[in-house]
């Protein structure tokens, strides 16, 4: 691709009901708008795998130059990604994976490492308690790769320690409601739970709410994943002492657009592009917030400048038209 060519990037987003995905879309749009030859189309699958397959077919049909996909579940999206790559349209998979390696490149944090971090955090508290440390794990949607990988990494650490006992697990679906009933039942059967590890902060908050109903929210420590710097996001929940910790999970939105442009320019790219993750707790929550606030301010200022630029372009276009009309007479 020459630099002047118009570049069509299609993004198939699994859903946009939550702030994490809203941030992913926002950072993609911002990065795309920094390149005036890039046209970004985002299709939202509303958490419906059939719709997501159709969305990707549409992006193929519309002759996108490259497609980015955040697959709701792995298996149902594998074939359509394969079709796209075979048809000559490269595919970047972001955050969640498909069932095989037929994609062009993957970008996202290592979800096994996310799970391990949560396990390590709990293991680091071992000396402070007598007897077994009892843990409940709340998983993300079955069939979506972060749910599988976070659980795998978490288990790898937990199983190494005699003192840590996984008492129960809940198959959640990433959303708050899926946690409530099953956790109520677990807390009724066990009054000695020490930790709840939830695969994201939304479900962790929901778990905390259930514990509060039962008056045990201060006996249990809650760990989540995402660490968003938003209202009721993971960082605030840590600062408010609702969560003991959250494992930071970057969206990778702007990095995905940069990666897409590299692929289209035929620059060498890694097949797996791993973004870093880290534990956020009361020790570093303020520092993380400051850093992320700074990034937000920079983003806002870029948006502002882009807005002004486009207003000036419009003004300039009107003036040139006016001059054309005047010089005509
Ligand atoms: C957002 C989300 C995040 C989670 C990610 C996993 O839709 O549920 O909370 O970390 O998806 O793919």
């Amino acid at each position: 691709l020459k630099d002047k060519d118009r570049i069509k990037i299609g993004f198939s987003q699994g859903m946009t009901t939550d702030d994490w995905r809203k941030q992913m879309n926002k950072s993609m749009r911002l990065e795309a708008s920094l390149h005036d030859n890039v046209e970004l189309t985002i299709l939202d699958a509303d958490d419906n795998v059939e719709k997501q397959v159709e969305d990707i077919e549409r992006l193929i049909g519309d002759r996108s130059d490259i497609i980015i996909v955040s697959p709701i579940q792995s298996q149902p999206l594998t074939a359509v990604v394969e079709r796209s790559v075979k048809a000559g349209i490269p595919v970047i998979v972001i955050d969640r994976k498909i069932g095989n390696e037929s994609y062009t490149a993957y970008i996202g944090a290592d979800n096994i490492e996310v799970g391990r971090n949560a396990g390590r955090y709990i293991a680091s508290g071992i000396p402070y308690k007598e007897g077994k440390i009892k843990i409940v794990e709340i998983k993300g949607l079955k069939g979506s790769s972060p749910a599988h990988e976070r659980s795998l990494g978490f288990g790898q650490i937990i199983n190494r320690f005699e003192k840590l006992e996984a008492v129960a697990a809940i198959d959640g679906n990433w959303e708050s409601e899926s946690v409530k009933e099953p956790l109520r039942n677990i807390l009724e059967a066990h009054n000695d739970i020490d930790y709840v590890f939830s695969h994201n902060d939304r479900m962790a908050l929901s778990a905390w709410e259930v514990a509060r109903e039962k008056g045990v929210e201060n006996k249990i420590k809650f760990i989540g994943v995402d660490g968003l710097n938003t209202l009721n996001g993971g960082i605030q929940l840590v600062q408010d002492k609702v969560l003991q910790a959250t494992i930071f999970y970057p969206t990778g939105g702007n990095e995905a657009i940069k990666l897409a442009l590299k692929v289209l320019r035929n620059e060498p790219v890694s097949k797996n592009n791993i973004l870093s993750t880290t534990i956020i707790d009361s020790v570093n929550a303020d520092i993380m917030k400051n850093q992320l606030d700074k990034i937000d301010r920079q983003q806002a200022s870029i948006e502002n400048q882009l807005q002004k630029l486009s207003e000036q372009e419009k003004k300039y276009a009107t003036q040139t038209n006016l001059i054309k009309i005047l010089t005509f007479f």
Side-chain angles (χ1 to χ4, degrees), residues 31-225:
E31 183 61 39
S33 62
L34 295 177
H35 311 265
D36 37 337
N37 54 344
V38 169
E39 187 187 295
L40 173 67
T41 304
I42 301 183
L43 300 182
D44 180 343
D46 296 325
D47 213 1
N48 173 333
V49 285
E50 285 88 32
K51 173 151 193 314
Q52 190 162 31
V53 172
E54 283 166 22
D55 285 349
I56 298 171
E57 301 276 14
R58 199 172 124 197
L59 293 171
I60 298 172
D62 286 350
R63 304 194 157 277
S64 304
D65 293 299
I66 190 162
I67 296 175
I68 305 174
V69 181
S70 185
I72 299 165
Q73 285 170 310
S74 304
Q75 291 309 334
L77 274 307
T78 307
V80 70
V81 168
E82 243 171 47
R83 276 202 291 286
S84 176
V85 173
K86 275 201 188 123
I89 302 173
V91 177
I92 292 178
V93 175
I94 182 167
D95 155 49
R96 303 186 188 177
K97 294 176 176 164
I98 55 167
N100 64 20
E101 304 238 311
S102 61
Y103 53 86
T104 310
Y106 168 80
I107 186 158
D110 177 346
N111 279 299
I112 299 182
E113 195 55 24
V114 166
R116 285 188 192 140
N117 271 339
R120 288 183 193 118
Y121 193 79
I122 296 177
S124 68
I126 284 180
Y128 305 110
K129 202 202 168 207
E130 301 222 333
K132 295 249 185 199
I133 293 180
K134 304 206 168 167
I135 304 166
V136 174
E137 181 182 359
I138 302 176
K139 302 180 184 177
L141 178 71
K142 234 194 184 130
S144 75
S145 64
H148 174 67
E149 293 177 348
R150 287 174 194 179
S151 192
L152 191 73
F154 187 63
Q156 286 172 353
I157 303 293
I158 295 304
N159 296 336
R160 274 196 220 152
F161 297 90
E162 268 288 301
K163 264 182 89 93
L164 302 184
E165 186 186 340
V167 176
I170 295 172
D171 273 316
N173 67 0
W174 299 117
E175 303 311 325
S176 318
E177 225 12 71
S178 64
V179 173
K180 300 273 191 229
E181 219 27 59
L183 188 63
R184 276 189 199 114
N185 296 334
I186 291 171
L187 293 185
E188 266 153 37
H190 304 269
N191 62 0
D192 53 354
I193 301 299
D194 297 296
Y195 279 95
V196 172
F197 168 46
S198 286
H199 286 191
N200 69 13
D201 292 334
R202 298 197 295 289
M203 294 192 295
L205 173 60
S206 179
W208 178 86
E209 285 164 358
V210 171
R212 195 183 45 179
E213 276 170 26
K214 308 229 173 267
V216 293
E217 77 274 23
N218 294 324
K219 282 172 58 185
I220 305 174
K221 295 185 170 78
F222 298 88
I223 299 173
V225 177

Side-chain angles (χ1 to χ4, degrees), residues 1 7 36 52 66 174 185 237 243 252 257 276 289-290:
L1 270 175
I7 297 172
D36 37 337
Q52 190 162 31
I66 190 162
W174 299 117
N185 296 334
L237 295 176
L243 299 186
I257 297 292
S276 56
K289 184 170 166 43
N290 281 339

